[in-house]
Amino acid sequence: MAVARTRGRRRLRLKFLLGGALLTTGCGTFMDQGALAPKGQVASDLEKIFWYSTWTAVGVFVVVMGLLLFAIFRPRGEEPSRLHGDRFVVIGGLVVPAVILMGMLGLTVTGLKVIPQEGELHVTITAHQFWWEVYYPEGDFETASEVHIPVGTKVELKLLSDDVIHSFWVPELAGKADLVPGRENRLVIEAEEPGTYRGQCAEYCGLQHANMLLRVIAQPHEEFEAWKEEQTRPAAVRDPRGAEIFQRNCAGCHTIRGTPATGEFGPDLTHLASRESLGSVMIPNERGHLAGWIVNSQTTKPGNEMPPITTLEPEELRRLLDYLEALK
Ligand code: CUA
């Protein structure tokens, strides 16, 4: 009997441990894009305000619930005086909230003051409904949905929009900022450590809102400079046949610098192979995914503006893939 009970208890403990482990893994994934794991100055300030308001709210809740319980269970006796009640209303209803709100205002104002307004590096981000255009004026080149920045540098983002309202949000680095057609917004981001920071559009923007991801890739200075240097070069065309297939099927919408392809509707693909992801960070930049995307991107990202390309012969598709995969 006793043995069975111990065994039961042991099993229960194991279940708790497993549950706990699962929960922590969940947190791990969540923390990849967590406002509570800041890696930049602005995000740290925001985190402070978050915890201040959360703990204050918890404190107020506990006190109010305590008073409620006291009121319910207080020993029967004489009625409290009117004066007592009045004083309570003044302190609990006016003085305490005023102090708490002033504290919050103070934190917010000091937080706002330290938000940097200017950066040492400039990047222009233009919102399109299904992708993020990323343009580097210093170097005059363009990429998509992946923003490379040097570590420890204030990077000033100029936020524009073509046809949609997105909200640029990389929680580990900074707060949110909207990209609105006809308006120019600014956001300064800075990463304290090298790494890849996930971002997410934080404004409902249609069918693919949940898949409007982006990435900020923070690199040590030399690595960033090498990347930039690489990106400014024209495309490395090795196979003229592949280039010709591209020209026939894709050049209406896409640019590959250094070739006759100068379409401006979709992302610039000059250095496509140097990117980690496709479809606004939805899928990895691998041959299979790329092939699927070319043939029918609607199965991956329904509603996006790239039409299925059904006229390619298998041999042509292979050639086109070889060509695109060489665009480092
Ligand atoms: Cu853009 Cu949601």
Side-chain angles (χ1 to χ4, degrees), residues 35-152:
L36 302 183
K39 298 277 169 15
Q41 184 56 48
V42 178
S44 300
D45 289 333
L46 289 174
E47 192 212 11
K48 257 178 238 149
I49 298 174
F50 171 81
W51 284 119
Y52 174 83
S53 32
T54 302
W55 288 121
T56 313
V58 169
V60 169
F61 178 79
V62 169
V63 170
V64 170
M65 286 302 128
L67 287 173
L68 183 68
L69 290 177
F70 174 75
I72 294 172
F73 296 110
R74 88 193 148 87
R76 284 180 169 271
E78 53 186 286
E79 286 296 306
S81 73
R82 179 73 199 273
L83 186 66
H84 244 95
D86 286 356
R87 217 181 278 157
F88 183 75
V89 168
V90 170
I91 293 174
L94 285 175
V95 179
V96 173
V99 169
I100 291 175
L101 291 177
M102 289 309 274
M104 230 175 251
L105 181 71
L107 262 184
T108 312
V109 170
T110 44
L112 278 177
K113 251 198 205 153
V114 299
I115 286 182
Q117 297 298 314
E118 276 170 21
E120 300 146 61
L121 176 77
H122 296 81
V123 181
T124 304
I125 310 238
T126 307
H128 298 273
Q129 194 181 359
F130 300 101
W131 59 288
W132 308 84
E133 180 185 317
V134 185
Y135 174 70
Y136 291 74
E138 293 134 55
D140 186 27
F141 64 88
E142 190 189 308
T143 175
S145 306
E146 291 177 3
V147 189
H148 285 247
I149 62 169
V151 165

Side-chain angles (χ1 to χ4, degrees), residues 165-167 201 203-205 209 212:
I165 299 177
H166 284 318
S167 179
C201 170
E203 178 92 45
Y204 180 69
C205 53
H209 165 62
M212 282 312 297

Side-chain angles (χ1 to χ4, degrees), residues 129-295:
Q129 194 181 359
F130 300 101
W131 59 288
W132 308 84
E133 180 185 317
V134 185
Y135 174 70
Y136 291 74
E138 293 134 55
D140 186 27
F141 64 88
E142 190 189 308
T143 175
S145 306
E146 291 177 3
V147 189
H148 285 247
I149 62 169
V151 165
T153 304
K154 289 190 175 57
V155 181
E156 187 176 329
L157 305 179
K158 191 207 260 188
L159 304 172
L160 307 171
S161 175
D162 175 30
D163 57 356
V164 71
I165 299 177
H166 284 318
S167 179
F168 185 97
W169 190 34
V170 183
E172 286 166 288
L173 301 182
K176 300 169 187 171
D178 280 4
L179 300 90
V180 184
R183 247 194 89 96
E184 187 182 309
N185 282 340
R186 248 152 235 281
L187 181 73
V188 176
I189 58 171
E190 180 180 359
E192 285 158 359
E193 297 165 22
T196 298
Y197 302 100
R198 244 176 75 110
Q200 169 78 50
C201 170
E203 178 92 45
Y204 180 69
C205 53
L207 205 52
Q208 290 299 329
H209 165 62
N211 295 321
M212 282 312 297
L213 312 170
L214 59 115
R215 251 178 211 171
V216 172
I217 300 162
Q219 299 167 294
H221 260 267
E222 313 78 69
E223 219 175 275
F224 171 76
E225 287 302 326
W227 173 83
K228 208 172 98 178
E229 171 62 34
E230 193 70 18
Q231 297 290 317
T232 51
R233 292 201 198 136
V237 179
R238 277 190 220 132
D239 175 16
R241 210 28 245 292
E244 192 264 313
I245 297 168
F246 185 89
Q247 190 61 31
R248 211 166 353 104
N249 294 283
C250 325
C253 295
H254 297 281
T255 289
I256 294 190
R257 271 179 289 126
T259 77
T262 51
E264 295 210 319
F265 194 66
D268 182 312
L269 303 179
T270 310
H271 293 280
L272 176 69
S274 71
R275 292 183 208 151
E276 295 171 3
S277 61
L278 301 171
S280 204
V281 190
M282 244 194 109
I283 46 176
N285 188 6
E286 289 162 3
R287 195 175 172 94
H289 284 291
L290 182 58
W293 183 269
I294 293 171
V295 173

